[in-house]
Amino acid sequence: MPDTTTLPRPPFDPEFVPFLTALDERGGFHLTTEMLPRMRQLDVTEAQLDDGLHARGLERRSVTIPGHRGEPITLAVIQRIGRTGPAACAYAIHGGGMMFGHHLGNLDSYDEWLLVHDVVLVSPDYRLAPEHPDPYPVEDCYAGLVWTAEHADDLGIDPERIVLVGQSAGAGLAAGVALLARDRQGPAVIGQVLVSPMLDDRDATTSARQFDGVGVADREMTRIGWDAYLGDRRGGDDVSVYAAPARATDLTGLPPAYVDCGSTEVFRDETVAYASALWAAGVQAELHVWPGAFHGSTSMMPEATLSRRAVGALREFTGRLLGSVVQRTSRTVAEIGPKLEVAPSGAKPFRR
C-alpha cells in the first residue's frame, strides 16, 4: 500500500522488518467490503477446532443467550478438561475492526498468558458492523457479560473474579463494556486487559497520521472500521462513550487496567492517552508501549524477542490479577503445531 505520510516516525523493530517488507511486496492489504464474508469465517471446521483444543487439554461448549434487544447470540465457553471447582473467568472479546473476525478464531493466542491460569474463557459472538452498527456490538458484549455473571454457578465461575479481555477492536469493546458495567451497576469486574485497543473515532492523533499507508491496520483501515460502526456520526458530537471510550471524560470507578500497544502502530497515541486518563481518574493502570512493535505483531510473529516480552508481561499481570499459579496445558506450545487463524485469503491474520 502506498505510504501517504511524510511525517517522521519511530522505526519498526528489526526482527519485524522482513515480515513487513514481504507484506508490502505482495501489495500490502487493502480491506474491502467484499472481503468481509471470508474474513468472518474460521479457516477450519468446528470439529477440527475442538480437536485442536483437546490436544491442548481444553474443551469447548457453546450456549445461545439473549443479546441486544433480546435477540440471540452465542457464547463459547472454553476450559481445561476435567477442571473442578469455581475458577476465574476471562471474558474475552475478539478483534476485527468491528467488522470481521470470529469468536472462535485465534483462541490459541491466549495459551501462554491467559489459559495458563486455568480460567474459564468466555468468548461472545457479538454482531458485526456494518449490518449491525453501534450499539449492537458493545450491547451484545455487555449482555453476554451479564448472562455470564448470572450463570456463574452453572459455568463453574467465581463471580468475584471476572476480568474483561480484548484485543484491537475487541479491546475497545471491552473498555466500553467496563463503562457500561459501572454505569448500570452491572457485574463486578476485577480488571480489564486492553491489548492495542481501538478507542477513538476522531482520527486526530499523531500516530494515526504517522501510520497512514504503512504497517498493519493503518489509518485507512481504522477509518473503514469506524465508518462501518458509526456511519456519518464518526468524528461528530453524537458518539457514545461506550462506542468510543476515548471520548469518556469520567473514568472514575473503573477496574484496574493493563493497557498496551506498539510504538509503531496507529492506535499508539489513543492507547497512551487512555492510560493517562485512567491515572487522572485514580484508576490503577499498567501501560506498555513496545518499541518498534506493529499492530498484531505479537500474534503474527510470536517467536520474536519483543513478542515474547509482551506475552510475558501479559502473563505476569494476569497472574497477579487473578492470584493464579500458572497451569501448563497438556502439551507445550511447540508441540501444538500450526496455529488456527482467521484471515482473508492471501493475507496474514490480525491476531491482536
Side-chain angles (χ1 to χ4, degrees), residues 57-282:
L58 302 167
E59 62 184 0
R60 170 188 69 98
R61 65 186 176 104
S62 293
V63 293
T64 301
I65 69 155
H68 182 45
R69 295 182 175 176
E71 297 161 3
I73 63 170
T74 299
L75 299 181
V77 182
I78 294 97
Q79 61 184 339
R80 178 172 54 84
I81 296 171
R83 186 193 60 76
T84 58
C89 172
Y91 189 81
I93 305 173
H94 74 81
M98 309 293 183
M99 302 172 291
F100 58 91
H102 194 288
H103 74 297
L104 296 178
N106 306 324
L107 295 177
D108 57 333
S109 68
Y110 298 116
D111 282 348
E112 282 297 286
W113 64 271
L114 194 54
L115 290 169
V116 290
H117 301 304
D118 202 20
V119 299
V120 176
L121 189 148
V122 178
S123 178
D125 186 18
Y126 62 91
R127 286 167 287 183
L128 297 168
E131 297 91 338
H132 294 93
D134 175 55
Y136 276 89
V138 71
E139 289 287 359
D140 277 350
C141 290
Y142 180 72
L145 175 68
V146 171
W147 188 93
T148 297
E150 289 176 347
H151 293 79
D153 288 345
D154 295 337
L155 296 171
I157 287 169
D158 178 355
E160 302 299 319
R161 290 197 297 156
I162 299 175
V163 57
L164 289 166
V165 176
Q167 304 182 69
S168 191
L173 289 169
V177 168
L179 288 164
L180 282 170
R182 180 199 65 180
D183 294 348
R184 295 177 181 174
Q185 299 182 320
V189 174
I190 64 169
Q192 47 185 328
V193 178
L194 311 178
V195 179
S196 291
M198 179 178 173
L199 299 164
D200 197 340
D201 64 297
R202 291 168 292 192
D203 191 33
T205 65
T206 297
S207 59
R209 296 191 298 273
Q210 285 177 318
F211 297 96
D212 192 349
V214 64
V216 175
D218 74 326
R219 187 183 197 182
E220 177 189 20
M221 183 178 293
T222 60
R223 282 174 173 170
I224 293 172
W226 284 116
D227 283 342
Y229 192 38
L230 300 175
D232 59 11
R233 291 185 294 129
R234 176 176 72 84
D237 295 331
D238 186 23
V239 175
S240 163
V241 300
Y242 311 120
R247 289 174 171 263
T249 57
D250 178 12
L251 299 181
T252 58
L254 289 175
Y258 179 100
V259 191
D260 92 341
C261 62
S263 69
T264 48
E265 70 162 294
V266 68
F267 296 137
R268 181 196 66 216
D269 292 348
E270 61 200 71
T271 300
V272 173
Y274 199 69
S276 295
L278 288 168
W279 293 323

